[in-house]
Amino acid sequence: MAQMWIAGEWQDSASGETYDIINPANGEKVDNAPKGNADDARRAIAAAEAALGAMAASSAEQRGLWLEKMVELVRERKQELAETLTKEQGKPIGEANTEMEHFLHGLHFYAGLASKYRGSYVPLPAKDTYGIVMKQPIGVCAGIVPWNFPITLMGTKIGPAIAAGNSIVVKPASSTPLTALKVCALLSEAGVPKGAINCISGPGGVVGEELVQNPKVRRVAFTGESATGRHIGEVCGRMLKRVTLELGGSDPMIVCDDANVEEAAKWGTIGRYYNNGQACLAVKRVFVFDSVYEEFLDKLAARVKRYKPADPLNPKTWMGPMHSRAQRDEIGEQVEDALARGAKAVVGGQKLEGAEYARGNWFAPALLTDVPDDARIVKEESFGPALPVFRVRDLDEALEKANASDYGLGSSIWTRNLGNAYKAAERIEAGNVWVNSLHYGYDEMPFGGVKASGIGREHGPEALDYYLEPKGVVLNVG
Ligand code: NAD
């Protein structure tokens, strides 16, 4: 049975209660996880608080070395961890390995940055008086993580939090705690003070809520749904806590008449169907110029037809089950809603329920055309393998439609014309624009959203600033 990782030790929940973690591929139990409650969250927060002194006393260089050591320790167990990830999340083993690599790359990035951030020296108008802007750790951080990328999205919080000298309590999604718990225990072997990294499992509304409401937590890093993020933002606003909110998306992809259509179809397919479409920055709406529409659609359809949902532990599998029944039903309802409003299914678009798929959460990838603008799949975030493709006249129409969304996370434009690329980059309402490339969150680049997609940034040196408090110090040396 899994245990929580608190104060450098494996611990059961205060209540002794557990719950089952279910394999999305076959409905079987993978393991039990401790059903944490507010007492457990408080215990983890106390452990993180107790570690602050030792964290503050550590040198920035030391913290960088700890992070490097963490990379080494996790890499040694990568395959085993990836298998646990596949069993609890449902993603194909190849994708689970890629997720582990992305996590390690992120930690390595912050290991390098730990001793390289800078404050500043400020000349002041008063005689013999100088200013220094120090940057200090904020204190106890909470990292609240969703189920779609449980490990990389934990790393985007642990990396900068530790590099900056904070301690952290991680709360994975209740359905995907197993890999995260193992990884946090391994990270702690790198030599960080006991309690610097804690990981607790249990319901978001109980354990996560305590992390957000507890005054000892000074910084909340949340990734998840926009509705949950709004609530967390309200609480943090009231309590004047530092908060970043990485929320949902409905990323547009624009394919111009001068695009490399083959490449656009290839990366558009991966952009939408990777992780079974359960990605915040998945391509969720495609706008194609009239003159290349048929060619693009044919190429896209041919690629989508190659996906055959199958056993995610088989290394040859590209697409596994969806993470949960609820998730499968929701994308199914969004597709049905679009079809009922006159859309056409060029490929697939139904739940897979034959004998082969009797257990688990299976869905046939879908490609839709003629989807009206008021369909749910256009207006809401769609978190599954279904993609609507729209025909547009020109870039102005594409940009207008791309921006007609509550969300603003990622976006892309496919064109050989630098003017088009620049115009789109300037006018798209999104935190990220990719030109002729896959929607991918590079560790080196700031990543985050505008509008309902959130506030603040993860990744890059920019994210480190969200874990540091600037302090103005005025020195009179006269
Ligand atoms: P979710 O909001 O349901 O849950 C996210 C986390 O919040 C979980 O750990 C959950 O237990 C916890 N939680 C739930 N209620 C809480 C509360 N009251 N207080 C504190 N914590 C609480 O999201 P999900 O369904 O797990 O994840 C999918 C969503 O995440 C999608 O909308 C997706 O777009 C978004 N997402 C965004 C990004 C990004 O970087 N912008 C990345 C990945 C996923």
Side-chain angles (χ1 to χ4, degrees):
M1 191 193 85
Q3 290 181 295
M4 295 195 271
W5 183 254
I6 301 175
E9 286 172 15
W10 289 116
Q11 300 194 17
D12 291 323
S13 62
S15 68
E17 281 185 70
T18 63
Y19 65 102
D20 293 348
I21 302 301
I22 301 299
N23 186 331
N26 55 25
E28 286 171 12
K29 185 168 114 180
V30 184
D31 201 350
N32 291 324
K35 190 170 177 186
N37 60 25
D39 285 340
D40 297 301
R42 283 192 281 270
R43 206 149 32 96
I45 294 165
E49 196 182 24
L52 285 177
M55 284 301 287
S58 65
S59 68
E61 185 181 25
Q62 177 63 71
R63 297 196 293 271
L65 293 171
W66 284 333
L67 284 162
E68 267 317 339
K69 183 72 184 167
M70 291 177 195
V71 172
E72 203 183 304
L73 290 165
V74 175
R75 178 155 283 129
E76 280 167 17
R77 303 261 303 273
K78 194 182 91 172
Q79 182 61 27
E80 170 208 331
L81 292 164
E83 279 171 23
T84 308
L85 181 56
T86 288
K87 284 183 192 158
E88 66 177 338
Q89 205 280 344
K91 63 181 63 194
I93 187 71
E95 291 188 16
N97 266 301
T98 305
E99 175 163 0
M100 294 305 304
E101 275 304 328
H102 196 175
F103 166 76
L104 294 175
H105 188 269
L107 287 194
H108 171 71
F109 180 80
Y110 285 106
L113 215 54
S115 59
K116 295 174 191 66
Y117 64 85
R118 295 282 181 268
S120 55
Y121 157 85
V122 187
L124 296 174
K127 189 172 180 302
D128 291 333
T129 306
Y130 305 94
I132 301 172
V133 182
M134 285 182 181
K135 290 194 178 176
Q136 296 184 309
I138 297 175
V140 176
C141 304
I144 304 178
V145 183
W147 50 263
N148 61 338
F149 290 96
I151 304 305
T152 43
L153 293 171
M154 177 171 81
T156 55
K157 294 153 183 70
I158 292 178
I162 295 296
N166 302 283
S167 59
I168 186 163
V169 181
V170 175
K171 159 48 190 111
S174 18
S175 54
T176 53
L178 301 176
T179 323
L181 288 164
K182 287 186 192 180
V183 168
C184 283
L186 263 180
L187 300 182
S188 303
E189 283 176 25
V192 285
K194 275 191 185 355
I197 299 173
N198 310 273
C199 187
I200 52 177
S201 52
V206 179
V207 175
E209 189 70 35
E210 177 62 27
L211 291 178
V212 176
Q213 299 273 2
N214 193 303
K216 290 181 177 163
V217 174
R218 295 306 314 148
R219 157 84 170 95
V220 176
F222 172 78
T223 304
E225 279 189 26
S226 296
T228 323
R230 276 205 176 88
H231 162 69
I232 290 175
E234 278 168 18
V235 176
C236 290
R238 186 160 31 82
M239 298 185 76
L240 305 178
K241 286 190 189 198
R242 304 283 171 276
V243 64
T244 45
L245 303 167
E246 298 288 342
L247 310 178
S250 186
D251 288 14
M253 168 178 176
I254 297 173
V255 183
C256 299
D257 51 359
D258 62 347
N260 180 332
V261 175
E262 186 70 54
E263 284 289 296
K266 174 179 166 189
W267 295 109
T269 312
I270 295 170
R272 167 76 269 199
Y273 299 93
Y274 195 80
N275 200 19
N276 230 323
Q278 303 165 120
C280 55
L281 49 65
V283 171
K284 291 177 184 151
R285 298 171 293 140
V286 186
F287 301 101
V288 190
F289 280 31
D290 203 24
S291 58
V292 290
Y293 178 85
E294 298 297 342
E295 182 193 353
F296 176 80
L297 195 64
D298 286 349
K299 289 187 190 302
L300 192 64
R303 287 180 178 276
V304 178
K305 283 179 188 155
R306 286 161 59 192
Y307 282 91
K308 303 276 177 248
D311 174 13
L313 281 172
N314 182 337
K316 293 193 178 137
T317 295
W318 290 4
M319 181 177 271
M322 298 203 59
H323 177 60
S324 67
R325 242 335 120 97
Q327 212 57 48
R328 184 194 73 166
D329 292 348
E330 186 177 272
I331 193 73
E333 283 161 19
Q334 287 174 335
V335 170
E336 278 165 24
D337 167 78
L339 295 174
R341 290 170 194 265
K344 296 193 182 77
V346 180
V347 184
Q350 69 283 344
K351 297 171 190 171
L352 293 168
E353 283 173 320
E356 199 184 336
Y357 302 108
R359 297 184 308 154
N361 318 313
W362 301 93
F363 192 83
L367 183 60
L368 305 175
T369 60
D370 303 281
V371 180
D373 289 344
D374 59 354
R376 286 184 54 193
I377 200 163
V378 182
K379 295 185 80 72
E380 300 170 3
E381 179 179 40
S382 65
F383 224 56
L387 180 60
V389 182
F390 304 88
R391 195 190 279 269
V392 291
R393 264 185 332 272
D394 54 21
L395 187 54
D396 285 328
E397 187 187 1
L399 288 170
E400 192 187 320
K401 293 196 161 190
N403 287 339
S405 168
D406 291 342
Y407 295 101
L409 190 58
S411 60
S412 65
I413 177 160
W414 293 77
T415 179
R416 292 185 174 98
N417 178 323
L418 193 56
N420 280 348
Y422 192 79
K423 182 173 170 181
E426 241 185 10
R427 285 184 34 194
I428 285 185
E429 294 166 2
N432 301 77
V433 184
W434 286 269
V435 178
N436 298 325
S437 57
L438 173 71
H439 296 206
Y440 179 80
Y442 287 99
D443 291 308
E444 294 76 5
M445 291 283 289
F447 172 80
V450 301
K451 304 200 285 190
S453 292
I455 293 176
R457 294 292 179 265
E458 292 200 320
H459 300 202
E462 288 80 359
L464 198 54
D465 274 330
Y466 288 97
Y467 289 85
L468 290 162
E469 193 74 81
K471 182 188 273 178
V473 179
V474 174
L475 288 178
N476 179 345
V477 298

